[in-house]
Amino acid sequence: MCRPEKPLTTDNKALRALQEWLRDQRARTGQGYRALAVRAGCHATTLQRAASGETVPKLQTVLNYARACDASPEEARRLWRRARYEQTRQQRGGRRLPAPRPKYIHDLVDLSVAVQDLYEKAGSPALRTMEQRAGGFGYLPRSTAHRIVTKQAMPRSLQQFQAFLRACEVSEEDRLDWEAAWTRAWRAEKRDDFFTLPPMPDEILSERYELIRERARQYMRKHDVAPESTTPDGAWDRPLPLPRNERHPRPRARTRQSRRRPTEEVLQVIPFLSFRSESEDPVLF
């Protein structure tokens, strides 16, 4: 006959449910902790503490306990995640506003809250474990995962966000909703950045435009593209010819003449020219 269990004293309801489930599985087998320890491959005290302790045991300990009792590892993992999530909530200091579901995420604020809640519901796995689940080295570095779960950054690419979903063990049918939420959040962020740009005064625009025209003239004189004696104002409205690599997509041997710069007027000045310094050439966007 097995020795009676110690009374449960934890105030974590999810942990209490996990411990009661473990005890029911041991009672079903009718074995003691020493016999279970042989099958589980760990010490009997470790198994006993997992079913009566004040803190959430390790996931591997719970899985070993379930395997020794021939119980469902999926159910053991589910109960352990709930207990771990409840413990994290208590350490945080109580409940907070519920995280939005993927279909209700519209911006990066919603996405940040939902991602942290997803990480906690996954059991708050270690960063090294997340890196291994994501696919190994390079998919989700530990430093990146740390910044994501602490709300310091959000995944910048869809591939990185998919690696984070794999690290949190999100099911295949739920990943599509999360990917759509990520797309909506970043689309809203870029739209907000565009509409919140401060307006530029007219005098600054006119000064920059004159500077652009002057540097364009210097560029044309330097490369002998459009002399000032031939109606320079007409060059602004002419279409920009195709570069030589687009005219001739097939590779060919470079001759002396092909290495020369084109002599036609190839510069079309628009208000979106940028210059890095006074000596560099203009850059067209």
Side-chain angles (χ1 to χ4, degrees):
M1 184 175 179
C2 299
R3 182 181 301 178
E5 296 278 4
K6 297 180 180 179
L8 299 177
T9 58
T10 179
D11 56 350
N12 187 338
K13 295 182 180 180
L15 177 58
R16 180 184 292 270
L18 172 64
Q19 293 174 348
E20 290 178 352
W21 182 82
L22 293 176
R23 293 185 176 189
D24 292 342
Q25 301 306 314
R26 188 180 75 89
R28 179 176 55 83
T29 60
Q31 298 181 3
Y33 280 109
R34 292 185 179 181
L36 289 180
V38 175
R39 300 188 60 185
C42 55
H43 201 273
T45 306
T46 304
L47 298 179
Q48 185 178 9
R49 190 182 297 113
S52 59
E54 291 290 337
T55 59
V56 180
K58 295 182 179 180
L59 176 60
Q60 191 60 43
T61 302
V62 175
L63 293 178
N64 292 339
Y65 197 118
R67 187 182 70 252
C69 297
D70 295 329
S72 172
E74 290 78 12
E75 182 67 15
R77 189 185 299 270
R78 185 186 66 84
L79 293 173
W80 178 85
R81 285 181 176 178
R82 291 183 56 186
R84 177 75 170 172
Y85 178 73
E86 183 69 17
Q87 184 184 37
T88 304
R89 185 191 63 82
Q90 292 179 356
Q91 293 175 355
R92 193 172 54 242
R95 291 189 177 274
R96 58 184 179 186
L97 293 177
R101 297 180 181 179
K103 62 180 180 180
Y104 298 123
I105 294 176
H106 299 288
D107 53 18
L108 288 183
V109 177
D110 297 340
L111 183 64
S112 177
V113 175
V115 163
Q116 187 182 25
D117 187 74
L118 179 66
Y119 166 73
E120 293 178 355
K121 286 184 176 179
S124 302
L127 300 179
R128 188 182 299 274
T129 303
M130 296 184 65
E131 184 180 19
Q132 296 174 355
R133 292 177 182 176
F137 178 78
Y139 287 91
L140 186 67
R142 280 170 283 176
S143 58
T144 303
H146 173 73
R147 297 186 63 190
I148 292 174
V149 299
T150 55
K151 293 185 177 182
Q152 300 180 23
M154 281 287 101
R156 301 290 301 183
S157 64
L158 182 59
Q159 291 77 11
Q160 190 177 80
F161 187 66
Q162 291 172 346
F164 182 83
L165 295 179
R166 292 195 301 270
C168 293
E169 295 183 334
V170 179
S171 60
E172 292 288 343
E173 55 271 14
D174 294 338
R175 290 181 187 178
L176 295 178
D177 296 337
W178 281 102
E179 293 172 5
W182 179 89
T183 304
R184 288 195 305 271
W186 276 109
R187 188 178 299 167
E189 180 71 14
K190 293 180 180 179
R191 183 174 60 249
D192 293 343
D193 291 345
F194 177 78
F195 285 109
T196 55
L197 289 176
M200 189 174 295
D202 295 338
E203 56 271 11
I204 298 180
L205 285 175
S206 60
E207 292 178 1
R208 291 191 177 184
Y209 186 71
E210 291 300 330
L211 179 62
I212 289 171
R213 289 175 64 91
E214 181 60 29
R215 293 190 179 180
R217 292 192 184 97
Q218 296 176 5
Y219 177 81
M220 290 188 293
R221 288 197 302 267
K222 178 180 178 180
H223 301 291
D224 195 16
V225 174
E228 288 191 350
S229 59
T230 59
T231 62
D233 293 337
W236 315 129
D237 302 327
R238 297 183 182 181
L240 186 66
L242 291 175
R244 287 186 175 271
N245 57 352
E246 296 186 12
R247 297 181 196 172
H248 307 282
R250 295 182 180 180
R252 61 176 183 175
R254 298 183 62 186
T255 61
R256 183 183 299 272
Q257 187 174 3
S258 65
R259 289 195 295 267
R260 297 179 181 176
R261 292 183 177 272
T263 57
E264 63 268 16
E265 299 173 359
V266 296
L267 188 62
Q268 180 183 11
V269 178
I270 57 177
F272 300 103
L273 284 171
S274 65
F275 302 88
R276 295 186 179 90
S277 64
E278 294 289 341
S279 60
E280 293 186 359
D281 298 332
V283 180
L284 280 173
F285 291 95

